[in-house]
Amino acid sequence: MADLVGLAQAIIYRDQAKAEELTKQAIEEGVAPDVILNEGLVAGMNVVGQKFKANEFYVPEVLIAARTMQRAMEHLRPVLIEAGTEPVAKVIIGTVKGDLHDIGKNLVAMMLEGAGFEIIDLGVDVSPEKFVASVQEKDARIVALSALLTTTMPAMRDTIAAFDSAGLRDKIRVMVGGAPVTQNFADEIGADGYAPDAASAVDTAKQLAGVTA
Ligand code: B1M
């Protein structure tokens, strides 16, 4: 019988082989893919996020848990697509222009994917023009900007200004984060949301998507 509690545990304890095995088993038994996603994988990642916030897990544990989930997702993704399960929302994420740091941004992307968001990752050193083009092309609702350098924080403001100039500002919600970024800075540049860490980024993205966190 499908073991979704065991699947969640496999994510929390970062047991990749078990996570893949239980995901395949649940698919073979005909469990609905959104149930496998929400009651197995996302439930596990939620606990990982809580443990990260409580300083019970650190960056390596979260990264490995997220990778475990991604391996399980490789089996589930085709079934989800076939079933037409809608993602929570589409998120375009990137580290802003001039900034090459991506460890935190990748962690945020993985946690968001773990929470059911569809992620379009533009990478690092992303210009305002590239963010604008991606929003136009992908029709995403949320844009997530990361910066690790005080010298690249102004690029967040420039990116929001570029959305304004392109007439896109009302169509999207912009969230910002990264070690030097604060709620005050987010307010100052007119961002819609801020999160201090990857687990809180999930709560912020859910709020921006209109989903109860
Ligand atoms: Co650089 N670097 N670095 N660096 N680097 C810092 C950031 C620095 C604080 C080190 C220091 O001087 N003490 C300093 C910045 C100082 C400042 O601006 N005030 C610095 C500097 C100066 C530089 C260079 C200029 C060094 C040089 O060349 N002279 C250079 C700049 C290159 C560039 O970007 N143009 C540089 C280069 C590099 C490496 C390439 C060597 C490497 C990056 C590798 C990579 O990312 N692939 C690197 C690293 C690793 C660091 C440190 C050591 C670690 C950063 C990190 O990955 N942390 C960092 C010092 C430090 O933090 N101790 C440092 C772990 C990561 C999980 O945390 O990224 O904060 P973090 O992400 C967190 C939160 O911030 C949040 O969630 C994450 C998880 O909880 N978060 C978001 C992040 N994005 C978010 C987005 C959200 C929400 C939350 O919503 C959208």
Side-chain angles (χ1 to χ4, degrees):
M1 216 182 92
D3 180 7
L4 298 182
V5 173
L7 179 54
Q9 297 278 328
I11 300 296
I12 299 164
Y13 294 106
R14 308 170 296 285
D15 185 339
Q16 195 172 299
K18 188 99 193 151
E20 288 192 68
E21 180 201 319
L22 291 178
T23 302
K24 283 194 278 188
Q25 192 189 325
I27 294 169
E28 277 159 20
E29 287 179 17
V31 180
D34 58 322
V35 172
I36 303 174
L37 180 68
N38 293 319
E39 293 179 23
L41 302 178
V42 173
M45 278 307 283
N46 280 343
V47 175
V48 172
Q50 286 156 14
K51 286 186 178 290
F52 183 57
K53 268 191 197 168
N55 290 325
E56 288 171 35
F57 275 10
Y58 294 96
V59 169
E61 282 98 341
V62 179
L63 282 174
I64 299 166
R67 276 194 204 121
T68 305
M69 166 147 182
Q70 285 185 336
R71 294 304 294 264
M73 277 300 288
E74 281 165 25
H75 302 283
L76 191 59
R77 194 170 285 120
V79 195
L80 273 170
I81 292 168
E82 210 178 306
T85 305
E86 287 289 315
V88 177
K90 223 183 261 181
V91 178
I92 291 173
I93 190 166
T95 305
V96 295
K97 188 174 179 181
D99 202 322
L100 303 176
H101 296 84
D102 68 357
I103 298 168
K105 183 265 296 169
N106 292 345
L107 202 51
V108 171
M110 287 175 181
M111 292 293 287
L112 289 177
E113 187 171 29
F117 289 86
E118 180 184 337
I119 303 298
I120 297 152
D121 188 345
L122 301 182
V124 296
D125 190 19
V126 183
S127 66
E129 297 75 26
K130 193 168 175 189
F131 276 113
V132 166
S134 183
V135 167
Q136 284 165 337
E137 190 190 325
K138 306 285 184 187
D139 194 27
R141 275 171 69 193
I142 299 176
V143 179
L145 307 176
S146 179
L148 259 288
L149 298 171
T150 44
T151 50
T152 57
M153 287 165 69
M156 292 181 149
R157 190 195 301 271
D158 297 344
T159 304
I160 292 176
F163 289 135
D164 228 336
S165 307
L168 294 170
R169 189 65 191 92
D170 294 340
K171 299 193 173 88
I172 51 165
R173 314 306 305 274
V174 180
M175 60 184 281
V176 293
V181 179
T182 60
Q183 180 67 61
N184 274 349
F185 179 73
D187 295 341
E188 196 188 304
I189 64 172
D192 303 301
Y194 158 76
D197 56 57
S200 314
V202 171
D203 300 336
T204 304
K206 282 183 177 172
Q207 278 160 15
L208 296 180
V211 177
T212 318

